[in-house]
Amino acid sequence: MSKALVVYSGGQDSTTCLFWAKKNFNTVVAIAFNYGQRHVSELTAAKQIADQAGVPLNVFSIDLLSAVSHNSLTDSQMEVETDQPDHRPPNTLVEGRNMLFLTYAAIFAKANGINNIITGVGQADYSGYPDCRNEFILSLNQTLNLSMDFEYTIHTPLMWLDKSEIWKMADELGAFEIVRDQTITCYHGIPGAGCGVCPSCKLRNRGLINYLKSKNNG
Ligand code: ZN
């Protein structure tokens, strides 16, 4: 009996992963984190979608993440940057977030006898977040195995896909409408197509347009 744990946020990428997991594993469980993100609406969306997918969602609070450093996703006093003239990562970067999420997910997984962990990180639309890179995931996988003496496999089904290919995957998994209408990727916490102007919305909406174009031409 294969079991998997999905690191879940209620966004486009992790929702696509949730449905990918349901197709590839017998039992799927999800884990989400409240880390003081600006929009608790993300967690509400996550709960709603997980319920529809029939996947039990476990939500844990890790407030410390926003206490130890500042970024525009957790600090409502900070403006969300829309471009980065000097090629540094935008101030929406939450340093260490994926490492912490995956570490807590691994502890939870071992406690529940789950070897497979799924995360929606990817480096195709690389925005300068170092902990979304394949190199980091492979390294952390090894570290987690050593730290807990357990055989984890971290799956990253979206690692090499751009946004348009992620839309395609959601569509093939029968989750297109749920992803389009209910997920939240917008930095301002607006569901679906979002505000349309933040970097996250632009990336998501451009991907959708490209996917629909290629679908209609194919
Ligand atoms: Zn937006």
Side-chain angles (χ1 to χ4, degrees):
M1 183 87 166
S2 63
K3 280 190 191 174
L5 176 67
V6 179
V7 180
Y8 194 47
S9 72
Q12 175 188 3
D13 296 344
S14 64
T15 300
T16 305
C17 285
L18 191 77
F19 285 90
W20 180 87
K22 274 175 57 96
K23 191 185 159 206
N24 289 285
F25 296 90
N26 295 322
T27 305
V28 178
V29 179
I31 189 168
F33 299 100
N34 186 346
Y35 58 97
Q37 56 269 58
R38 279 189 185 192
H39 307 291
V40 187
S41 57
E42 286 174 22
L43 291 173
T44 312
K47 179 83 181 83
Q48 247 171 33
I49 298 167
D51 282 351
Q52 285 172 68
V55 172
L57 176 68
N58 304 270
V59 182
F60 295 98
S61 195
I62 48 170
D63 295 344
L64 196 54
L65 182 55
S66 56
V68 291
S69 82
H70 287 277
N71 61 77
S72 63
L73 283 195
T74 56
D75 186 343
S76 55
Q77 304 297 312
M78 258 166 103
E79 280 290 314
V80 171
E81 286 177 346
T82 49
D83 53 5
Q84 308 82 48
D86 52 359
H87 301 288
R88 68 193 155 74
N91 69 359
T92 49
L93 169 67
V94 184
E95 299 277 13
R97 176 171 57 176
N98 282 329
M99 188 172 78
L100 280 181
F101 281 11
L102 285 164
T103 302
Y104 281 117
I107 297 167
F108 179 89
K110 186 179 178 185
N112 290 278
I114 301 171
N115 295 85
N116 299 287
I117 299 172
I118 296 156
T119 170
V121 300
Q123 65 177 60
D125 286 317
Y126 185 57
S127 54
Y129 292 10
D131 58 356
C132 288
R133 292 175 299 180
N134 196 47
E135 191 185 11
F136 163 73
I137 297 294
L138 295 175
S139 160
L140 183 65
N141 198 151
Q142 210 172 12
T143 298
L144 290 172
N145 292 4
L146 288 170
S147 70
M148 283 174 264
D149 196 18
F150 197 66
E151 278 301 306
Y152 294 107
T153 303
I154 303 180
H155 301 265
T156 53
L158 311 184
M159 182 57 76
W160 310 106
L161 304 184
D162 63 24
K163 283 287 176 217
S164 143
E165 292 166 319
I166 295 169
W167 280 110
K168 180 168 189 262
M169 183 189 272
D171 202 3
E172 287 166 356
L173 291 165
F176 181 79
E177 272 90 14
I178 287 185
V179 172
R180 186 193 56 196
D181 302 336
Q182 299 184 38
T183 61
I184 298 182
T185 30
C186 176
Y187 289 150
H188 302 288
I190 303 165
C195 72
V197 292
C198 77
S200 182
C201 281
K202 279 187 186 158
L203 191 63
R204 169 185 169 126
N205 295 338
R206 201 184 312 133
L208 180 58
I209 290 166
N210 289 340
Y211 169 58
L212 293 175
K213 230 184 257 171
S214 69
K215 192 182 178 185
N216 293 334
N217 291 338

mmCIF file of all heavy atoms in Angstrom, residues 51 61 115 146 183:
data_model
loop_
_atom_site.group_PDB
_atom_site.id
_atom_site.type_symbol
_atom_site.label_atom_id
_atom_site.label_comp_id
_atom_site.label_asym_id
_atom_site.label_seq_id
_atom_site.Cartn_x
_atom_site.Cartn_y
_atom_site.Cartn_z
ATOM 1 N N ASP A 51 -10.799 18.994 1.162
ATOM 2 C CA ASP A 51 -12.077 18.330 1.452
ATOM 3 C C ASP A 51 -12.700 17.774 0.171
ATOM 4 O O ASP A 51 -13.152 16.638 0.137
ATOM 5 C CB ASP A 51 -13.069 19.309 2.094
ATOM 6 C CG ASP A 51 -12.774 19.527 3.579
ATOM 7 O OD1 ASP A 51 -11.911 18.793 4.126
ATOM 8 O OD2 ASP A 51 -13.377 20.433 4.174
ATOM 9 N N SER A 61 0.997 25.201 13.068
ATOM 10 C CA SER A 61 1.434 26.579 13.185
ATOM 11 C C SER A 61 2.935 26.630 13.409
ATOM 12 O O SER A 61 3.454 25.955 14.294
ATOM 13 C CB SER A 61 0.702 27.196 14.374
ATOM 14 O OG SER A 61 0.836 28.576 14.304
ATOM 15 N N ASN A 115 6.590 7.191 3.537
ATOM 16 C CA ASN A 115 7.934 7.401 2.981
ATOM 17 C C ASN A 115 7.986 8.458 1.871
ATOM 18 O O ASN A 115 9.041 9.011 1.592
ATOM 19 C CB ASN A 115 8.478 6.097 2.396
ATOM 20 C CG ASN A 115 8.687 5.043 3.448
ATOM 21 O OD1 ASN A 115 7.755 4.317 3.790
ATOM 22 N ND2 ASN A 115 9.885 4.963 3.999
ATOM 23 N N LEU A 146 19.291 10.676 6.604
ATOM 24 C CA LEU A 146 20.324 10.481 7.625
ATOM 25 C C LEU A 146 19.838 10.939 8.998
ATOM 26 O O LEU A 146 20.079 10.282 10.011
ATOM 27 C CB LEU A 146 21.588 11.274 7.259
ATOM 28 C CG LEU A 146 22.395 10.732 6.081
ATOM 29 C CD1 LEU A 146 23.472 11.731 5.674
ATOM 30 C CD2 LEU A 146 23.032 9.386 6.434
ATOM 31 N N THR A 183 -7.891 27.988 -6.279
ATOM 32 C CA THR A 183 -6.568 28.118 -5.664
ATOM 33 C C THR A 183 -6.187 29.587 -5.500
ATOM 34 O O THR A 183 -6.716 30.468 -6.185
ATOM 35 C CB THR A 183 -5.484 27.416 -6.511
ATOM 36 O OG1 THR A 183 -5.428 28.032 -7.808
ATOM 37 C CG2 THR A 183 -5.788 25.932 -6.680
#
